Amino acid sequence: MGKNQLRLQLPLPVSYDYHNWFRHEGVEDACNRLALWTVHGGRIWLNSESAAGKTHLLRTISADHPSIALLSIDATQALDASWALAQQWVKRLEVRSHWMIDIEAGDLPQAAALALFHCLERARDLQRPVIIAWRGNIQLLPPELSSRLLAMESVTLSPPQDDEGLLQILGNSAGKLQWDIREQVLQSMLTYLPRQLDILIPALRELERLSFEQKHKPGPAWVKQQLIRIAEDLHPRLL
């Protein structure tokens, strides 16, 4: 009797390390500046216009430096009052000498924005070096927070500008999924989808999921069909 392969509904742990970090021109300045920050400190706002690897960079650096406290925030899940949030966040940060705060991209609810302001004030009071990683519309922030961010040193990341760099990142992402995929499939993604990492990476995960569920090897015809469907689903976003 043949054996059917079963897939546990457990997400693979996401690994962030230098092995699957692609250092290219768009992140070179940020890599150099953050390396200096671990020694000399400072107050840095790490930003980008699109997905560019801020979370990956923070996690790789914090994993190598026990003195760094890394706080990851999904502001949509931050439902407490601002002062209660600030107390929770500061309690997790103040056990270390260097603070990194990584915030999910997008608009910040009022409570989360004010809590972040209180964290920055606490970092100043304790003379803690701090990095805020966030991408969003700063004009929608409360003035207390926007003025603090604008007063910080701004360091900007950008995604690779060539297909070779995007293919490198997609290949690394496929490796995280433990998916052995041909480069031809990755090249097809650049043909049918916008060259934006916040679209390409989720699309890669979707292809991996469909390939396993449908027990279908990702050949050219099947990949084209799936990518066209994904592109059609994205169409309202692209208008």
Side-chain angles (χ1 to χ4, degrees):
M1 180 181 295
K3 294 182 179 179
N4 293 325
Q5 184 179 7
L6 297 178
R7 187 183 201 186
L8 296 176
Q9 296 302 312
L10 296 173
L12 289 171
V14 179
S15 62
Y16 296 97
D17 54 44
Y18 286 111
H19 175 70
N20 52 36
W21 168 255
F22 177 47
R23 186 161 179 165
H24 55 88
E25 184 177 348
V27 300
E28 185 69 23
D29 288 345
C31 288
N32 293 335
R33 181 61 187 92
L34 266 61
L36 289 174
W37 176 84
T38 62
V39 179
H40 300 293
R43 299 167 62 85
I44 295 175
W45 174 25
L46 195 65
N47 59 75
S48 63
E49 292 186 1
S50 61
K54 295 184 296 299
T55 293
H56 195 148
L57 181 58
L58 291 190
R59 289 182 180 269
T60 55
I61 293 176
S62 63
D64 285 344
H65 294 82
S67 62
I68 295 176
L70 173 61
L71 175 66
S72 298
I73 297 173
D74 181 352
T76 62
Q77 303 299 317
L79 303 179
D80 293 335
S82 59
W83 182 241
L85 281 174
Q87 289 180 312
Q88 294 172 28
W89 295 348
V90 168
K91 184 176 180 180
R92 294 163 60 183
L93 290 165
E94 61 184 1
V95 294
R96 298 286 186 270
S97 63
H98 290 61
W99 296 6
M100 287 180 169
I101 305 176
D102 184 23
I103 308 162
E104 190 78 15
D107 296 339
L108 293 181
Q110 182 83 354
L114 292 176
L116 185 58
F117 162 75
H118 289 304
C119 284
L120 289 176
E121 291 296 280
R122 186 59 175 163
R124 184 180 64 177
D125 292 342
L126 296 175
Q127 297 185 338
R128 296 288 202 271
V130 62
I131 292 175
I132 300 288
W134 174 71
R135 168 169 58 97
N137 188 350
I138 195 170
Q139 295 180 350
L140 299 180
L141 297 177
E144 303 97 314
L145 179 57
S146 62
S147 63
R148 295 302 184 276
L149 286 178
L150 291 172
M152 298 169 75
E153 178 184 353
S154 177
V155 177
T156 303
L157 282 76
S158 61
Q161 298 301 307
D162 56 10
D163 287 358
E164 181 180 356
L166 291 173
L167 288 172
Q168 175 75 40
I169 291 175
L170 286 174
N172 290 345
S173 298
K176 290 182 187 178
L177 297 172
Q178 299 180 14
W179 192 21
D180 185 12
I181 187 172
R182 292 178 298 173
E183 186 172 318
Q184 180 183 2
V185 174
L186 303 180
Q187 291 174 335
S188 297
M189 296 182 68
L190 301 185
T191 300
Y192 295 103
L193 296 176
R195 289 170 165 78
Q196 300 173 25
L197 290 177
D198 48 0
I199 292 176
L200 291 169
I201 301 300
L204 180 68
R205 297 194 191 104
E206 177 69 0
L207 283 179
E208 190 268 346
R209 183 186 68 81
L210 290 172
S211 175
F212 193 93
E213 288 186 356
Q214 298 178 14
K215 297 181 175 59
H216 203 300
K217 187 175 181 180
W222 181 85
V223 169
K224 178 180 178 180
Q225 179 185 24
Q226 302 306 322
L227 291 176
I228 289 175
R229 179 187 60 79
I230 292 172
E232 290 174 347
D233 291 342
L234 288 169
H235 183 68
R237 289 181 55 190
L238 304 177
L239 292 177

